[in-house]
Amino acid sequence: MKISDINIKIISDSRGKDTLEAELKSEDFSAKASAPAGKSIGTHEAFVLEPKLALKKFEEIKTKILSNEFESQENFDNFLIELDGTPSTSSGQAPSTSSGQAPSTSSGQAPSTSSGQAKSNLGGNLILSLSLAFARLKAKNERLELFNYISHQSLVVGRKSKNLLRPIFNVINGGAHATHRESKLEIQEFQVIPEVDDFNIAFSLGKIFYRKLGNYLKDKFGSENVFLGDEAGYSAPFKNNEEAIECLAEIIEKYKYPLKIGLDIAAAQFYRDGFYIVDGKKYSAEELKNYYLKLIETYNILSIEDPFNEEDFSSFALLTTELYGTNAEQCGKLVIADDLTTTNIERLKIAINKKSGNAILIKPNQIGTLTETLKVIKFAYENNWQAIVSHRSGETLDDFIADLAIGVGAWGIKAGAPAKPERLAKYERVLTIQNANIKM
Ligand code: PGA
Ligand code: ZN
């Protein structure tokens, strides 16, 4: 495919921060895509280039892109990867164990130095917006829906028997995503996951639950104390983490909703010098594991993401084995790696080798291209791991991840609470695709 023109512009994300939107044109079509931004950013993620600098970088490469023809997605993505020239394993260092690890920063800022980070030359955000816009444009040229185009990529051999896609609603926002100053929640996401086999029903259930929870929290804390966090879940002056889980459990139990609870711990955010500070107490990895085992049993928790620091493959493995024994791939419950693996195949290989979970969170902007994202998913599937496709806390109206989740037959899609346009866009795109019943 010949690209006839490209434009990059700066748009605002859901936090009002600058981000990039790419528009690619071919003879007959044009397509746009934009880059989201995380706040609890994994150390091994692709580098985020300051958008104004990214515009300058783009001017340097624009004619190179326009003077080429690209037969395939892989062709285009590899071209960008080569132009960038940095290795895709972020720090270029072998991951170390949790002990003696420097504390991760929780500032939510992109790291100030880019040395050694993947995509640090052109910026993962510039590369991603180009890669995703290319996918949309190529799909249009091939007269395919985007999810079909994705599922036709030879890289996805994965699911023959299609997974049922579940929405994962983040209804209480803690950690770096909390907006109430008196929130004492270290855990970042308190989720509900519908256990129904129809996305329409699952979505309605999510919205009903979200409203009920809002009223419940307003009664409990006073309406002046119930805010919305970064991912549209509620933020309120919770005193401790279990209190938030109890609220979800109580409503689920009262109305007998077919919902399970999920948690994204994002533990790297409260890891300091070998210990974890939770509810004002200092926990070793072993003590924290026992704390999780109790929570999981008490509240019948379905999935737990990033339970330990982002370098601690071993503690992830211990928790997975204690929970599921040798049955991790079949048990239906999940230990999910996000900051641990950062959608990076080299990190996923280590995690699979060490049995550090049974599912990987997929965030295309952690790695920077669609091709690399699909390779990670393929590798996960080949090793019987599940994939959950995810938004970022700083989002745009781009709904690419909905097509990605359907195209690869993901276990779930994590797009925040069922509220606010940038979150709803993803869930609604899934509904549009499923209700149109377009054949894959
Ligand atoms: P982030 O959080 O987008 O702020 O990194 C999402 C997550 O940790 O899953
Ligand atoms: Zn996470």
Side-chain angles (χ1 to χ4, degrees):
M1 183 175 69
K2 182 94 188 131
I3 300 167
S4 57
D5 196 13
I6 318 176
N7 281 304
I8 303 282
K9 70 174 187 187
I10 294 178
I11 60 168
S12 287
D13 73 11
S14 53
R15 281 190 278 256
K17 296 228 162 95
D18 285 355
T19 191
L20 300 172
E21 181 182 77
E23 183 174 21
L24 266 61
K25 291 182 182 156
S26 61
E27 203 180 337
D28 300 321
F29 299 102
S30 74
K32 289 181 183 174
S34 54
K39 203 184 227 180
S40 61
I41 298 169
T43 304
H44 300 276
E45 292 193 21
F47 184 72
V48 178
L49 191 59
E50 200 284 310
K52 287 190 189 71
L53 289 177
L55 286 188
K56 285 194 188 138
K57 283 276 176 190
F58 167 67
E59 287 309 321
E60 292 169 23
I61 62 166
K62 184 174 176 178
T63 49
K64 288 184 185 149
I65 298 175
L66 291 177
S67 58
N68 269 279
E69 274 201 40
F70 304 97
E71 273 161 47
S72 66
Q73 185 74 41
E74 193 167 14
N75 215 223
F76 182 70
D77 289 346
N78 285 344
F79 184 80
L80 295 177
I81 291 167
E82 273 166 38
L83 275 182
D84 174 74
T86 52
S88 65
T89 36
S90 297
S91 67
Q93 289 161 1
S96 55
T97 56
S98 68
S99 55
Q101 195 58 40
S104 71
T105 56
S106 55
S107 64
Q109 297 300 312
S112 54
T113 71
S114 62
S115 63
Q117 246 190 303
K119 317 278 190 304
S120 57
N121 189 11
L122 298 179
N125 45 343
L126 174 60
I127 294 175
L128 182 81
S129 58
L130 291 168
S131 173
L132 302 190
F134 180 90
R136 280 210 169 99
L137 187 64
K138 187 95 167 69
K140 284 184 180 174
N141 274 280
E142 291 179 15
R143 311 292 193 274
L144 286 172
E145 286 282 338
L146 180 59
F147 69 90
N148 271 325
Y149 170 79
I150 291 168
S151 71
H152 289 185
Q153 298 295 306
S154 58
L155 295 166
V156 181
V157 288
R159 295 288 116 111
K160 289 279 179 280
S161 62
K162 297 241 166 52
N163 254 329
L164 161 80
L165 183 66
R166 301 155 183 82
I168 300 172
F169 299 113
N170 176 12
V171 289
I172 295 177
N173 291 183
H177 299 163
T179 47
H180 197 294
R181 279 211 275 133
E182 286 158 44
S183 168
K184 297 272 192 303
L185 302 177
E186 280 89 12
I187 294 177
Q188 185 172 280
E189 301 185 10
F190 298 82
Q191 309 153 339
V192 290
I193 308 167
E195 294 216 294
V196 292
D197 58 12
D198 179 325
F199 204 93
N200 288 282
I201 298 171
F203 187 52
S204 305
L205 205 58
K207 286 194 286 189
I208 292 167
F209 182 87
Y210 179 73
R211 240 178 284 128
K212 280 253 162 23
L213 176 64
N215 292 335
Y216 179 101
L217 296 176
K218 283 173 191 158
D219 282 351
K220 184 176 166 75
F221 295 111
S223 51
E224 72 285 4
N225 272 317
V226 179
F227 302 169
L228 291 191
D230 283 11
E231 297 189 351
Y234 300 108
S235 179
F238 289 100
K239 282 189 248 7
N240 61 64
N241 293 281
E242 197 164 345
E243 187 187 14
I245 303 175
E246 260 166 19
C247 292
L248 304 187
E250 202 180 309
I251 299 171
I252 292 171
E253 174 58 29
K254 184 171 173 194
Y255 295 97
K256 303 272 177 277
Y257 289 134
L259 293 169
K260 284 270 157 61
I261 295 172
L263 300 173
D264 179 6
I265 309 290
Q269 297 289 311
F270 53 88
Y271 177 78
R272 300 284 178 275
D273 303 325
F275 290 93
Y276 299 87
I277 313 295
V278 183
D279 299 334
K281 278 181 268 169
K282 199 170 167 179
Y283 287 79
S284 67
E286 170 73 19
E287 289 163 343
L288 192 65
K289 186 192 70 193
N290 292 331
Y291 168 79
Y292 294 143
L293 288 172
K294 197 159 161 265
L295 283 182
I296 290 167
E297 204 198 318
T298 311
Y299 299 100
N300 193 15
I301 286 169
L302 181 65
S303 70
I304 183 163
E305 180 180 326
D306 278 349
F308 300 99
N309 187 38
E310 61 194 334
E311 308 296 347
D312 193 355
F313 289 90
S314 310
S315 293
F316 272 74
L318 281 175
L319 179 69
T320 308
T321 330
E322 275 201 42
L323 281 171
Y324 315 134
T326 53
N327 192 30
E329 282 86 25
Q330 280 85 39
C331 67
K333 295 191 170 193
L334 303 180
V335 173
I336 306 169
D338 170 15
D339 292 346
L340 185 77
T341 39
T342 57
T343 318
N344 184 311
I345 197 155
E346 298 308 324
R347 308 231 2 128
L348 178 61
K349 280 179 188 164
I350 301 168
I352 286 172
N353 261 329
K354 297 195 174 219
K355 300 191 186 305
S356 308
N358 60 357
I360 180 171
L361 204 75
I362 297 293
K363 293 167 168 167
N365 83 323
Q366 283 182 327
I367 189 67
T369 64
L370 178 60
T371 300
E372 289 165 292
T373 303
L374 295 177
K375 281 185 180 164
V376 172
I377 297 169
K378 179 178 179 232
F379 192 75
Y381 287 171
E382 283 167 354
N383 289 278
N384 295 315
W385 276 42
Q386 295 285 1
I388 289 108
V389 173
S390 173
H391 68 159
R392 300 307 301 247
S393 51
E395 263 299 336
T396 70
L397 294 173
D398 195 318
D399 55 12
F400 194 99
I401 60 163
D403 287 77
L404 179 60
I406 291 183
V408 304
W411 186 95
I413 178 166
K414 198 171 95 150
K420 287 200 183 174
E422 74 280 3
R423 315 292 151 188
L424 290 169
K426 282 70 168 170
Y427 295 126
E428 283 167 356
R429 172 68 183 155
V430 172
L431 286 175
T432 304
I433 296 170
Q434 294 206 341
N435 293 342
N437 205 8
I438 311 163
K439 284 258 171 324
M440 292 187 63

